[in-house]
Amino acid sequence: MKIHSDELTIQNIKGIGEETALQLNQMGINSVQDLLEYLPYRYEDYRLRDLEEVDHDERVTVEGKVHSEPSLMYYGRKKSRLTVRILVGRYLIQAVFFNQPYLKKKMALHDTVTVTGKWDKNRQVITVQHFQAGPHNKEGDFEPVYSLKGNVKNNTLSKFIKKAFEEYSHLVSENLPAALLGKYKLMNREEALYQLHFPHSPSDMKQARRRFVYEEFLLFQLKMQALRKFEREHSSGIQQHYDVEKLKGFTDTLPFPLTGAQKRVVNEISADMKSPYRMNRLLQGDVGSGKTVVAAIALFSSVTAGYQGALMVPTEILAEQHAESMSELLSPAGLSVALLTSSVKGKRRKLLLEKLKEGEVDILIGTHALIQDDVEFKSLGLVVTDEQHRFGVNQRRILREKGNSPDVLFMTATPIPRTLAITVFGEMDVSIIDEMPAGRKAIETHWAKADMLPRVLTFMDKELDQGRQAYVICPLIEESDKLDVQNAIDVYNQLLVYFQGRYKVGLMHGRLHPDEKDEVMRRFSSNDLQVLVSTTVVEVGVNVPNATFMLIYDAERFGLSQLHQLRGRVGRGENQSYCILLAEPKTEVGKERMKIMTETNDGFVLSEKDLELRGPGDFFGKKQSGLPEFKVADMVHDYRALEVARDDAASLINSESFWKNPEWERLRSYLAEAGVMEGEKLD
């Protein structure tokens, strides 16, 4: 929104002097526009309600008559508890006031009082946060609450905003064209802004909020979709004319039929490879859903079109495992698969790089060793990056630049909730394998308390006795004074004693040198170690089909998505696998996490639940979330509006009328202001 005057600072509002203006400036309010758009972060509901309709732990306002003499009790230093019985309609409830002893003199038998607070339905008690002597007479039943700094009070700010509306509301410009306002029955911008500040009722506020949620999502998605369109159209990619008959023959030779989801994803990738634009696609699939096979098919296609393929993975042991599985799939079809890691040195390395440059190597698999200067491809057509979030943007770019705009496929086994995928990866195409291969056994997950550890170890013993292996996961490396949680070194020492003379126990954590980590994993993979005690460094990619048991200490300290990633280290072979969550959660959210983990193995269901419980910032980690800031919209709770806005933005950006018709002028100018217009790119 633009208020069309550069001179409208907040001191244009009557009553705002220099000192107040400075305090408002500290809150980010510098202009009249800032003031009008400084929205409440919540609302206080002071409407009287029937207690019959109020849920447990809900905030409520009630009016009633004092039914008993107030009782005051002091405890601790300057702490007090005042209780009084109030007759509210047919309910005789107890009102509790903490540290407000002066209120005792303001209540007498049979007085009418109004109280607001948290309702304990089970005990019929209200913990009072706001008290009013006399009947309910608040001017506004539904009041906005603002985030404040300094001496600025809520009521004062509200008065300033009211004055700003009285004098300047006619300068609020509309962003959305009449077609969209009519299509979704949305308030105009001026009215919606007013109703967010001064709602007549909760329903008016919801309608106003609905309008701004859609506007914020639409503007953001227009930017994303425009970026995607221009990136696509200005990146002259390779049009890969792969051999369809050879591709069909190859898929027919696979040891198992493709699932419906795999077929759909292969078709999406194939269409991208055939197009003249560079593919920029994210492939999501739960652990064990068959992403590797899809990548093998894409790489095979590229080779039949006369190109080479590269697969970059984060660790050496993972590179070795991928090279082995890719060779099993592609070598019988006549493709040359090679492995390049830091362990490949001297003459072997030199010979491999010569073959790669001559085009004698079809598929090169490796770690970040692939992006070193002396690695040259003859004709790189497809780059596949596994667990792409483990590589920096520059590392991925360098690999891309080893070809002439090769197609790019990112893979991840971290299920990203649909809402976050739409928001964070809006400029990418997203493919999802949401179906598991037939016959794969679900991992049995159980939640156990600390006193059940002896039984859990007995269970682990039985699995080891059958020749299986086990992971034991701990949240910390060493003992911490701050956190009372199990640490890997302590648990390792305890299990060394417990399994002494029977089974070998290994230790893995983030402080080990990469070579030491690889060595520990190799020993575990070859069954030289039967039990691996580790921190979360085993999260990604490692494939040990013989490991059927996982014990996670202090499981409540992990998010759902992380627990699911850890659990995915087992269940990779033909035998039934188990995951035991050892946890004593103190909060309801913690208990809910444990319960959800035992109920589903679906990573996408878990990721959505995790997003609900933790919020988007915590899902990715605050440092690298890449999430946009919305004033009103909430990606989690407003996800349907996000999807609608995404679809609307995509159809607008791809329609000719959007770029020419005057009714879309305001939205086009928004894209211009954001630095995204046809022929331009955003930095």
Side-chain angles (χ1 to χ4, degrees), residues 199-242:
H200 297 128
S201 67
S203 62
D204 286 343
M205 182 275 292
K206 281 177 185 167
Q207 286 304 316
R209 186 182 177 280
R210 181 172 157 265
R211 183 244 142 83
F212 275 99
V213 165
Y214 179 74
E215 179 186 314
E216 285 188 334
F217 282 154
L218 181 72
L219 293 179
F220 175 73
Q221 284 298 329
L222 279 171
K223 200 163 68 174
M224 286 282 107
Q225 298 298 327
L227 268 173
R228 181 172 168 182
K229 175 184 165 73
F230 305 145
E231 175 75 24
R232 239 184 122 141
E233 292 176 2
H234 295 95
S235 65
S236 51
I238 305 165
Q239 201 162 1
Q240 303 206 43
H241 299 288
Y242 56 83

Side-chain angles (χ1 to χ4, degrees), residues 29 429 592:
I29 303 172
D429 294 297
E592 183 67 13

Side-chain angles (χ1 to χ4, degrees), residues 460 470-477 485-489 491-492 495 506-508 521 524 531-539 549-558 562-563 565-570 579-582:
M460 193 197 301
Y471 290 98
V472 178
I473 308 296
C474 309
L476 294 179
I477 299 172
V485 291
Q486 288 292 343
N487 63 85
I489 292 171
V491 170
Y492 169 69
L495 293 182
L507 175 64
M508 168 103 110
M521 273 320 305
F524 189 62
V531 179
L532 181 61
V533 178
S534 175
T535 55
T536 56
V537 291
V538 296
E539 249 182 87
F549 189 91
M550 176 169 282
L551 168 60
I552 304 178
Y553 277 87
D554 302 298
E556 73 274 14
R557 291 198 53 76
F558 301 104
Q562 196 174 27
L563 285 172
Q565 284 293 296
L566 290 165
R567 174 169 66 181
R569 299 306 104 223
V570 296
C579 177
I580 309 297
L581 308 168
L582 207 62

Side-chain angles (χ1 to χ4, degrees), residues 11-27:
Q11 284 185 262
N12 283 74
I13 306 291
K14 283 175 191 169
I16 300 182
E18 268 187 49
E19 195 178 326
T20 307
L22 281 171
Q23 291 188 335
L24 291 171
N25 292 163
Q26 287 178 342
M27 291 160 60

